[in-house]
Structures are given as C-alpha cells and as structure tokens.
Amino acid sequence: MLSRNIALKGLTGRYIPINTSKTCFRQFHVNSFLCRIAKGPYKGKNKKNETDTTKSTNPISFFEEPNSKNPRNRERKFVSRAGLFSPETDISDDIIAIKRNSALRFLFSKECEKRCNFVGVPTSFFTKHIRDFVFKSKNEKIPRLSIKSYRIALDRDGSDVGESLVMNSFFEYLATVSQNELPRFHKLRSICDLRNIHNFFPNARKLNRKIIMHVGPTNSGKTYQALKKLQEAKSGIYCSPLRLLAHEVYTRMNDSGKPCELITGEDRRPPTAGIMFKDEVTDSSGTAVIPMVSSTIEMVNVLRSFEVAVIDEIQMLQDTQRGFGWTTALLGLQASEIHLCGEETAVPIIKKIFSKTNEDVEVNVYERLSKLTVADSSIKENWKKVKEVIYGGLPPENRSKQAEIFNDPTSGYNVLVASDAVGMGLNLKIKRIIFESLKKFDGHSFRSLSVSQTKQIGGRAGRYNVGYDMGVVTTFKESEMPKLKSMMSAVPDHISAAGILPPTELLERISYSFPNEPLSSVATAFSDLASYTDEYFMCDIKGQRFTLDLIAHENLSLRQFYTFMYAPVSHRDETCVQMASRFAKFLASNTECRVCNVMNIPTASPKTKTELLFHFSNVFTDTEKAIECKNALEDLIQKGLK
C-alpha cells in the first residue's frame, strides 16, 4: 500500500515549489484556491491612526511610561514590533499587563469619546471617571481586565481584543457609578441585556432535553458513536463545522436508507432519489418533512423539532468569529437528545451553561484507537520528500472529490496540501502530518497555533481500521520540532467562555433609538453596551459592520439589513464585495435578479448568490441557474486540477 502523507500549508500564502509530472501544480491554483486566508504579512499599526486616537488627552505620564534605559521598556518595544505571541500562557504577567495597559489608552481617544456620546454618555461624565477606571483596572479591581482574564481574552481573540473589551468593561463600570444619571444610557443597556440569553429560546426551555457529551482525542470514535444514535432516530439533525463534513453525513445517511437533506449557506439538496420514507415525520403544523437534516452550524433551524441532534466539534464555541453558531445550537435546538462531540476541554463550560437551564449533562470519555507519535526529526525543508500533490481550500464538492482521490490507494496521489480545517473531523486516510508552520494568520497578525489546534491537526495522522496502526507527526523546519513535541504532549486549558452575537430582534429594537444613524454604529453600540455573564463573550463583529457599511445607502428594511449582516461577505475578496453590493441594489428596488445580471462564469464565484437566494427568493428568482453556474464552476476547477 502506498505511504500516504499530508503536508499542512502554514497559512502564509506562500507558493510551494513542488515539481511533479502527475500534477498540474500551478501557482494560480494555489493562490486562488489553497488557503485563501492571508493576503500578506502583518504590518503593524498605522502610525497616523495612532496619532489620531490620542488627541483628546495625553495619557503618557498617567501610564508611567518607562524610560529607554529600563529593561521593561525594551521589552515593550520588542512586543510591539513582534506582534502577538500565542499561547499567551508562555508570556509573563508583566507583558500581559503591558498589553492591557496599552489597550486602556483607547479610553483617551476621540473614537472612545464619540462612542460614549453616541449612547448618551456626555464627555464631561466619562472623562471624570476615566482615571479611576484605569487605576482600578491596573490594580486588578475590574474582573474582566484582570491579568488572568485579559490573558484568556488574548489567547482567544488575539491582538485585536483590546478595544472592544475595554469599551464593554468601561460601560459596565459607568453603569455602576452613574446611579440615577444618564437615563438614555441605562435604557439602551437594558435593551442589550444578555445575562439570561438562554431564555431567548422559550421552545427549547419547555423541553426536558437530554445532553450527552462524547469527548476525547481525534480518532477515538466519539463522532462515530454519536452518528449511530442519529441514524437510529426517527428524525434528527447533524450540525457541522464544515460544508464538506455536512456533505459527508448527508451522503452517509442517504446511503444507509435514511432520507436526509443537505442545508448549507450555498447549497440545498433533497434526499437521494429513490429513497423511500419509511416513517412519516411532520412538523408542528402537521406538514410532512424530511426526517434527517445535515446542516452547517450557522444554518441550523432552531424552530423545528427533532428526536436527536448531533453538534460536532463543540470546542468551536470559543471561536471569536463563529462561536455564536455553536452557542445558538446548544441553547436553541428543539431535540429530545443532544449529542455533543469534541474535546474534553469543553466539558466544564458546557456544564456551566446547562446549569442555568437545569439540564443535566452526561459525559462519555473516549481513548484514541490508534497510536500517535512525534517523529524524531523534521523533513528538514527537503521538498524531495513530498512529491505528488492534491489540493485543499476548494469548494465543498471539489474537496469531496479530492478527498476521494486521496483516500483511493490506486489513484497515485499521496500528498494532500490543506489548511488547518483538516483538523475538523474529515474522513481522510492519513499516515503522516507535516506542519509547514506552527503559526497561522488570524486576520490581524501571525499567531502560533494553540495546543488544542496542534493536537487536533496532528491527531489526524493514523486512522483506525484503515491500515495505519500508528500515525506520525513532524514539521517542515527542524527549528520547530521542540515546540511541536512540547505542544503534542501538553494538556490544553479548559474553555472559559462561549461566543454570542446580538439576537436580531434586539438589534432591531435598539435600532429604533437611532433612526438616522448607520446600522454599523448601532451594532458597535450594542457590542459596547451588552451585559452578559462570565460563561459568554461577544464575538468579533468587524466583518458584520463592514457588510452593513457596504450596503448602508440602500433602501432596505431593518430585517433585510440584518440578514445581509450575517451573509458570508469577505471584505478581502473584491469580487464577493461587488456582488453583495449588486444584490442589495436589486433587493432594495424589489427587482427580479437573475444570474446574468451579476456574473459571468468563470470570472466570478456564485457563492454569495446561493447564500442570499434562499432568504430572498422573491427577488433572486434564478435559483436553478445559480446552482447550474455553481456546478459549472466546480467542474472547471476540477478540470484545472487534473
């Protein structure tokens, strides 16, 4: 049998110079489809913006800036140039304090003043309390800005955490010192109260749900056991972190004779033709429905009842971009049994969340089924040890076909180049994992992979019952081997909080208090004002604010604006941005929009179109043509990969 290896692209956007007669490995393919995460190296802060944000008050003396001869000052400069290191547990408390104190400088900026005025806090009031708040923060009197809490936030959010965390903590502090003052501020805070967020799902709260956790390392069979329960159920839903995984379960259920539909942001498919409905399943209105659903986590339907639900990769609830999807599914799914699959690190936070809903949690711990070892050395940057290649970072249909090629021992393709998404349960027959890098670009800077991410990815080596009794993990560079060995043997920290986003109904409600203001500013105000307990944190809304600004000039209803807000519009993809803008124009004018109005194959991807047409089918009427174009593009990609 062929020795099957995997080289993990380290999210740097660099071209991998592999020469092979079996693969047409063009740089165009890599740049277009492989690891489209980073557009370039992190360049640090904009000096002009730094100057602009400190005009209102000079905080230098108050922050006790060390002189240049002080070693602490040299350490500060080094941290500033190097960007964020991770995991933050490797950094001293002094460095964490420096980072936190630097974030506190935002309170002295014009932007902070503007955001305070926006929600009814006059300049005279907040400037009166800034120094006391900063003093308390530096002396560990503000819980969310303590060294311990700020370290956790940096681990989770990266270097971009400061502004939002400081503003939210500052507003919480102002609420305690303002008493009967600032009536508008307090009224807005009452709208943004998420301390009982579980009560936003009353139908789920009426059920006596059984919560069962299947936890353990990769390749331990935990997801297999949960899917068995799903397959035995009369009705059920699989909640996936990836479109490819949703597609895999969709295929699995239909192949086993269980009618299952696929629902993702860009694709909806009925059950495979010819499958008979053995038991009729109806919804609350008595209408017959397809028994099984395989869905990406953001597309989960919390309004429909199921017998069994499976939520995969539950540790993703700590993700700063997508964690809210897992939290929504946890709190809102109407299912008699909910099976959670993932890392053991998620057990404490899950128990804490469900203690508020009076739902018990059963925990099943699994051991790895095959052995896993770290190699003695790296491949020492020798590309000759990596030959035939197939691609990751593709549309789901293409990725599925590429996975089939990789898993086929007769295909002649022995190496898969992939992003870190390979760590999320993909059914791949992998013998060896090679980390091209132990860092990734998080959208703001390059950060080290966490212990959890490293173990998740590395654990994909060695698949039980597929001919590999042992998996091997190594690196591309010899210099990273000590770090890999340390991380693979380390125990990840427990997850401290789950991500949330403002419910749409509350965003609409607070919007009425700002009838003439941009909705992106309203969303920012909600994030600043929100009250929530320690089990939760507010997910990053920068992408959502970008989308709202993009379509701000269109005449849309609040509900339409907020539907667009959660559409997957990448601000780094110019084509995607242009198409989203065109869709908004058609929707605003209530004019029929056909595929030919917005794109020509293959110069533009129909991804965003297929996301929005499911929400606004009265305007985006050309559903069949959009899906036809999507399939044509996938065929073009597949041909280009041969």
Side-chain angles (χ1 to χ4, degrees):
M1 180 170 290
L2 292 171
S3 172
R4 312 186 75 71
N5 305 283
I6 174 167
L8 179 67
K9 179 97 170 82
L11 313 178
T12 59
R14 294 197 298 271
Y15 170 54
I16 303 176
I18 301 174
N19 295 318
T20 170
S21 59
K22 291 190 177 181
T23 308
C24 181
F25 199 85
R26 296 187 178 94
Q27 184 171 359
F28 167 78
H29 291 148
V30 178
N31 290 341
S32 299
F33 307 123
L34 176 64
C35 305
R36 296 184 64 187
I37 304 296
K39 293 295 184 183
Y42 177 61
K43 298 180 180 178
K45 296 181 180 179
N46 183 293
K47 293 183 179 179
K48 181 178 184 301
N49 290 340
E50 283 189 325
T51 302
D52 289 344
T53 59
T54 56
K55 285 181 179 177
S56 59
T57 307
N58 183 359
I60 298 299
S61 59
F62 179 67
F63 278 87
E64 300 175 346
E65 188 78 40
N67 60 49
S68 60
K69 295 181 180 180
N70 192 321
R72 189 178 172 91
N73 189 43
R74 293 197 297 270
E75 190 174 41
R76 180 196 301 270
K77 290 181 179 178
F78 177 75
V79 171
S80 177
R81 287 196 302 268
L84 178 69
F85 295 116
S86 179
E88 296 296 341
T89 48
D90 295 337
I91 301 178
S92 69
D93 285 354
D94 283 345
I95 297 296
I96 298 296
I98 290 172
K99 289 174 177 286
R100 179 198 59 196
N101 294 348
S102 178
L104 285 167
R105 292 172 185 269
F106 180 75
L107 296 174
F108 297 87
S109 69
K110 283 292 185 183
E111 175 64 19
C112 174
E113 181 179 359
K114 177 182 175 182
R115 281 156 72 165
C116 287
N117 295 164
F118 188 77
V119 298
V121 180
T123 302
S124 58
F125 188 89
F126 84 79
T127 53
K128 174 183 175 182
H129 293 281
I130 283 179
R131 291 179 178 273
D132 185 52
F133 175 77
V134 173
F135 179 81
K136 289 180 182 296
S137 298
K138 294 177 68 176
N139 287 278
E140 304 290 287
K141 301 298 184 182
I142 304 296
R144 284 186 181 162
L145 294 179
S146 67
I147 296 294
K148 180 180 178 181
S149 297
Y150 203 78
R151 183 187 297 276
I152 291 171
L154 282 171
D155 267 340
R156 180 182 63 231
D157 298 347
S159 57
D160 204 43
V161 64
E163 175 188 313
S164 58
L165 184 59
V166 165
M167 281 302 298
N168 185 264
S169 301
F170 185 48
F171 278 169
E172 187 172 323
Y173 171 76
L174 289 184
T176 64
V177 298
S178 57
Q179 298 178 355
N180 296 326
E181 302 174 86
L182 312 180
R184 176 175 170 80
F185 171 72
H186 284 284
K187 179 182 178 181
L188 293 173
R189 272 182 60 83
S190 68
I191 298 174
C192 304
D193 190 345
L194 302 177
R195 287 174 293 181
N196 292 308
I197 192 171
H198 52 278
N199 289 334
F200 282 84
F201 306 94
N203 292 332
R205 299 290 75 79
K206 294 175 184 177
L207 303 175
N208 184 23
R209 305 185 305 175
K210 186 177 181 181
I211 313 298
I212 304 164
M213 294 193 74
H214 304 268
V215 298
T218 54
N219 196 21
S220 60
K222 56 186 182 294
T223 306
Y224 172 79
Q225 295 298 329
L227 289 177
K228 276 183 62 178
K229 293 291 185 181
L230 180 66
Q231 201 163 325
E232 294 167 1
K234 187 176 181 180
S235 65
I237 182 171
Y238 171 71
C239 309
S240 169
L242 300 172
R243 288 168 291 176
L244 181 56
L245 272 177
H247 188 275
E248 281 188 4
V249 173
Y250 162 77
T251 302
R252 172 176 173 171
M253 289 297 166
N254 283 300
D255 288 349
S256 68
K258 283 279 187 179
C260 180
E261 64 177 326
L262 176 70
I263 301 178
T264 71
E266 65 174 43
D267 200 2
R268 295 196 180 185
R269 300 186 187 185
T272 305
I275 296 182
M276 300 298 295
F277 286 58
K278 296 180 181 178
D279 300 306
E280 186 174 282
V281 177
T282 59
D283 60 17
S284 57
S285 65
T287 304
V289 294
I290 298 168
M292 294 290 171
V293 177
S294 184
S295 168
T296 44
I297 193 76
E298 288 88 353
M299 299 296 291
V300 167
N301 184 357
V302 296
L303 300 179
R304 177 180 161 183
S305 297
F306 300 96
E307 184 179 336
V308 170
V310 174
I311 304 177
D312 209 352
E313 304 293 349
I314 188 60
Q315 71 278 357
M316 285 287 290
L317 55 74
Q318 68 179 323
D319 187 87
T320 58
Q321 304 291 330
R322 303 179 61 204
F324 70 92
W326 277 262
T327 305
T328 299
L330 273 178
L331 297 176
L333 272 171
Q334 299 182 55
S336 301
E337 278 188 18
I338 299 182
H339 293 260
L340 311 178
C341 306
E343 294 180 7
E344 198 169 353
T345 56
V347 172
I349 187 62
I350 294 298
K351 287 185 174 181
K352 198 173 181 181
I353 287 173
F354 285 124
S355 68
K356 299 289 182 69
T357 64
N358 296 317
E359 293 171 300
D360 295 328
V361 179
E362 174 188 322
V363 180
N364 299 315
V365 181
Y366 298 79
E367 298 295 330
R368 186 176 170 88
L369 298 174
S370 62
K371 295 180 180 180
L372 181 66
T373 184
V374 179
D376 294 331
S377 64
S378 70
I379 65 170
K380 300 180 179 178
E381 305 183 47
N382 184 359
W383 286 113
K384 291 182 179 180
K385 295 183 179 180
V386 182
K387 298 180 180 179
E388 296 83 6
V389 179
I390 62 175
Y391 301 88
L394 299 166
E397 195 69 28
N398 297 104
R399 275 183 282 180
S400 179
K401 292 177 182 177
Q402 294 291 291
E404 290 176 8
I405 293 173
F406 180 71
N407 286 337
D408 181 1
T410 65
S411 69
Y413 289 91
N414 302 336
V415 179
L416 173 67
V417 181
S419 71
D420 58 343
V422 76
M424 289 191 233
L426 300 179
N427 187 23
L428 296 168
K429 299 177 181 179
I430 302 168
K431 181 177 182 179
R432 180 175 63 164
I433 293 282
I434 303 171
F435 283 91
E436 193 264 344
S437 174
L438 290 176
K439 294 182 179 180
K440 69 172 288 183
F441 187 73
D442 66 0
H444 307 285
S445 60
F446 285 98
R447 316 174 65 212
S448 294
L449 294 173
S450 67
V451 170
S452 175
Q453 290 169 325
T454 304
K455 292 171 79 76
Q456 277 283 108
I457 297 166
R460 291 296 158 195
R463 294 289 294 177
Y464 178 72
N465 205 29
V466 294
Y468 300 136
D469 296 330
M470 179 180 290
V472 180
V473 187
T474 188
T475 61
F476 180 63
K477 299 176 182 177
E478 187 66 25
S479 61
E480 292 194 305
M481 281 301 297
K483 185 174 182 180
L484 176 65
K485 291 178 180 179
S486 174
M487 296 177 82
M488 289 298 293
S489 62
V491 178
D493 293 333
H494 287 155
I495 295 170
S496 60
I500 55 175
L501 276 183
T504 302
E505 55 267 34
L506 291 191
L507 280 173
E508 290 183 354
R509 185 179 166 193
I510 197 174
S511 295
Y512 293 119
S513 300
F514 304 96
N516 301 313
E517 300 292 344
L519 290 180
S520 59
S521 298
V522 175
T524 300
F526 194 109
S527 180
D528 290 344
L529 292 164
S531 302
Y532 44 87
T533 55
D534 291 340
E535 298 88 45
Y536 302 102
F537 69 92
M538 189 65 66
C539 285
D540 186 359
I541 63 168
K542 285 184 175 59
Q544 286 84 353
R545 294 205 309 257
F546 171 83
T547 302
L548 289 175
D549 281 336
L550 176 69
I551 61 173
H553 57 284
E554 302 295 349
N555 184 26
L556 300 175
S557 68
L558 284 175
R559 178 66 62 157
Q560 289 171 334
F561 270 117
Y562 289 128
T563 300
F564 262 89
M565 175 178 170
Y566 294 113
V569 179
S570 172
H571 65 274
R572 289 181 290 174
D573 187 330
E574 185 177 348
T575 300
C576 189
V577 169
Q578 290 176 353
M579 291 174 64
S581 181
R582 292 173 193 166
F583 299 148
K585 289 183 184 298
F586 278 99
L587 184 60
S589 62
N590 198 30
T591 304
E592 183 182 39
C593 177
R594 305 186 69 83
V595 172
C596 60
N597 298 133
V598 292
M599 70 182 67
N600 292 308
I601 294 294
T603 57
S605 167
K607 178 169 62 174
T608 305
K609 165 68 178 179
T610 52
E611 161 73 19
L612 293 170
L613 62 85
F614 296 125
H615 293 285
F616 305 115
S617 56
N618 62 317
V619 172
F620 305 124
T621 58
D622 215 356
T623 305
E624 292 184 2
K625 183 63 177 177
I627 294 174
E628 179 186 327
C629 291
K630 171 180 172 292
N631 294 336
L633 181 59
E634 290 170 350
D635 289 341
L636 285 172
I637 293 172
Q638 196 64 29
K639 290 177 182 178
L641 295 174
K642 292 181 179 179

